[in-house]
Amino acid sequence: MTRSRLFTLLQHSTCLLCLCLLGLCSINVSAQLKFRIEGHIDNTHAKPSKNDVGDSDIIVLNFGNLVRKDTVRIHNNAFHMEGEIPYPSSAFIEYKYGGNLILLDSSSYLFTLVKKDIDSTHATYEQEIKTKSTFHNTWEKFYDNKAKLVQERNQLNEAAQHTTNPDSALYYAFAIKAANKKIVAFYHQFAADHPNSYIAAYILVGAPDFSYANYMDVYSSFSDNIKNSYYGKNFYSRMIASKDDKKEEQAKTEIAQTAPGMFPVTNTIDTALNKIVLDKDFFSKHKYTLIEFWASWCGPCRKLNENLKKMTASFKEKDVELVGFSLDQGSEAWKIAMINDKLPWLQVSDLKAVDSPLAQYLKLGVIPANVLVDREGKIVRTNIYEGELEGFLKGVN
């Protein structure tokens, strides 16, 4: 056995051990799925630049459901990756300017990056994945069809905003309601068409009506293997998080009543499921607290976390507490991303994703985003990054 092959086996064994410690490995590891990725970079359609993706650059396969990162270097504008996974898995193929989601099973994948000029001074890389993977192609087809339904609904919303006729406004109100019901029905039909499947467990947590009441029957139909996988655990934790609607409405009401400019009292949990309340008592322990909003599925957020790690000594020296607030839908993806990225600061979440009352109160349209809070719980800055953040830290006495 070669030294590199031995290292690969040891690396995968270590990843499996991490999963078991997290309680995420209740899978029959003897039935491994083998995937293969062939990558190609085409820089011939645009002007050459020293910043081109090319030889010696690193490609990272960053798994979303496993504590694992595979890496390879580009050689002759190509790369090759292969490996084994315990069950169908999601990952990001990351390169220095971006990334692309890929769903892996026992299949081969052709991944291409083609550089295209935007104008005389700017270029971009277009990505494409070709595969016969049922897992990947079912997901891609689902979101293509969903996008059409969402576009129809958004067109109705836009038309409704521009009408002044009462009858037209009433028509659009009914039409929008019907369009939303159509999207919900689309998810339910997908559940019916893909019973007891990993792809259903992966996709359905994004349903607009996802809740314990609406999807417990779907969860109950999953096999033990699916229930004990990342997807099953994530599915279950999302249902539990949405189970108590009264508490959720109470939280929304309390946040809505917060005085302008103040950080609302927010009930969260950490990755060990301990209750953490973000309130005046919490903020009073430090000069400032920087709340960084991120999610496991947000590539730019993950890269930003790497930059923040380099600043941890400065935060500590200036008595600035750094807190990560995850906008993930379930605890499993959040835990795995935190372990993969080796984040040393406090991590909290309300597991509400984009429906988080806090995210809505702060009107977070995109992430990464952050707020800087003083001892009194007052929001003093928003979206403070890079040079602005460094300048602020230097000015803290």
Side-chain angles (χ1 to χ4, degrees):
M1 180 181 295
T2 65
R3 189 174 180 182
S4 60
R5 175 61 176 161
L6 176 61
F7 175 78
T8 300
L9 290 174
L10 288 172
Q11 185 183 42
H12 289 184
S13 297
T14 302
C15 293
L16 181 58
L17 175 61
C18 293
L19 284 170
C20 291
L21 292 174
L22 279 171
L24 299 172
C25 72
S26 303
I27 302 294
N28 180 6
V29 296
S30 62
Q32 296 286 296
L33 305 179
K34 297 181 180 180
F35 68 87
R36 180 187 184 96
I37 302 172
E38 297 293 342
H40 298 277
I41 293 86
D42 184 354
N43 293 315
T44 63
H45 300 279
K47 298 176 182 177
S49 166
K50 63 179 181 179
N51 295 319
D52 286 352
V53 177
D55 287 2
S56 296
D57 284 341
I58 294 176
I59 300 292
V60 179
L61 189 62
N62 193 352
F63 286 81
N65 64 302
L66 303 172
V67 183
R68 171 176 168 183
K69 287 185 181 181
D70 296 357
T71 61
V72 68
R73 288 191 181 274
I74 298 172
H75 179 67
N76 290 334
N77 286 321
F79 65 89
H80 168 84
M81 307 182 88
E82 60 181 85
E84 297 181 348
I85 46 180
Y87 54 89
S89 298
S90 61
F92 281 92
I93 301 179
E94 298 177 354
Y95 57 99
K96 64 183 179 182
Y97 297 126
N100 202 92
L101 182 64
I102 184 170
L103 271 62
L104 302 168
D105 54 18
S106 291
S107 301
S108 295
Y109 302 79
L110 177 62
F111 176 74
T112 56
L113 278 178
V114 181
K115 185 182 179 185
K116 297 286 184 68
D117 282 328
I118 298 175
D119 53 38
S120 59
T121 57
H122 299 89
T124 188
Y125 277 94
E126 296 181 355
Q127 311 158 14
E128 183 181 41
I129 295 175
K130 291 184 178 180
T131 180
K132 293 182 179 180
S133 163
T134 300
F135 193 51
H136 183 91
N137 290 338
T138 301
W139 162 77
E140 198 168 60
K141 181 179 179 181
F142 173 87
Y143 278 100
D144 283 346
N145 290 332
K146 179 190 170 184
K148 295 175 184 176
L149 296 176
V150 172
Q151 184 179 17
E152 290 175 10
R153 194 233 1 237
N154 291 346
Q155 287 173 344
L156 290 169
N157 276 324
E158 186 176 354
Q161 291 173 5
H162 290 88
T163 186
T164 56
N165 183 288
D167 290 335
S168 295
L170 185 61
Y171 162 78
Y172 284 122
F174 279 105
I176 292 168
K177 187 175 182 180
N180 284 325
K181 286 185 177 180
K182 193 174 180 181
I183 294 172
V184 169
F186 181 62
Y187 274 91
H188 284 272
Q189 186 61 52
F190 186 84
D193 293 342
H194 300 84
N196 189 30
S197 64
Y198 284 101
I199 192 64
Y202 177 70
I203 284 178
L204 294 178
V205 291
D209 68 332
F210 189 85
S211 67
Y212 186 92
N214 291 334
Y215 284 88
M216 185 59 194
D217 287 347
V218 175
Y219 175 79
S220 297
S221 72
F222 291 156
S223 68
D224 287 343
N225 274 354
I226 295 177
K227 287 180 179 177
N228 290 325
S229 72
Y230 156 82
Y231 306 113
K233 290 176 180 290
N234 196 55
F235 197 102
Y236 185 76
S237 68
R238 278 285 289 142
M239 286 196 306
I240 296 303
S242 64
K243 189 175 181 180
D244 198 336
D245 294 332
K246 290 183 178 179
K247 285 186 177 180
E248 184 173 351
E249 290 304 316
Q250 181 181 355
K252 288 181 179 179
T253 301
E254 291 175 352
I255 286 179
Q257 293 173 348
T258 301
M262 300 298 292
F263 193 96
V265 175
T266 303
N267 293 311
T268 71
I269 56 171
D270 63 15
T271 51
L273 304 183
N274 297 312
K275 183 178 178 181
I276 305 289
V277 182
L278 302 181
D279 58 7
K280 188 175 179 179
D281 288 341
F282 179 89
F283 296 123
S284 67
K285 299 172 185 176
H286 300 278
K287 288 181 181 178
Y288 295 96
T289 302
L290 184 66
I291 311 287
E292 183 65 41
F293 294 90
W294 72 293
S296 64
W297 44 263
C298 172
C301 300
R302 305 284 291 272
K303 290 184 178 181
L304 177 63
N305 281 337
E306 292 299 315
N307 293 333
L308 290 174
K309 281 198 289 188
K310 300 173 185 177
M311 301 178 67
T312 51
S314 297
F315 287 129
K316 186 175 181 180
E317 178 186 352
K318 298 294 185 176
D319 193 26
V320 177
E321 177 78 346
L322 178 60
V323 178
F325 193 107
S326 168
L327 293 179
D328 278 289
Q329 292 181 323
S331 61
E332 304 307 310
W334 173 33
K335 290 178 184 177
I336 290 173
M338 190 191 73
I339 293 173
N340 270 338
D341 294 354
K342 300 177 181 178
L343 304 181
W345 53 86
L346 175 65
Q347 296 289 333
V348 300
S349 179
D350 59 8
L351 297 182
K352 302 296 183 184
V354 295
D355 293 324
S356 165
L358 176 59
Q360 293 177 354
Y361 171 80
L362 296 173
K363 298 180 180 178
L364 298 183
V366 296
I367 54 175
N370 63 32
V371 294
L372 187 69
V373 185
D374 67 12
R375 287 187 187 277
E376 302 299 317
K378 182 180 179 181
I379 299 174
V380 295
R381 301 283 285 275
T382 60
N383 296 328
I384 175 172
Y385 290 110
E386 299 179 347
E388 186 180 1
L389 178 56
E390 293 172 1
F392 171 80
L393 291 174
K394 288 180 181 178
V396 175
N397 297 320

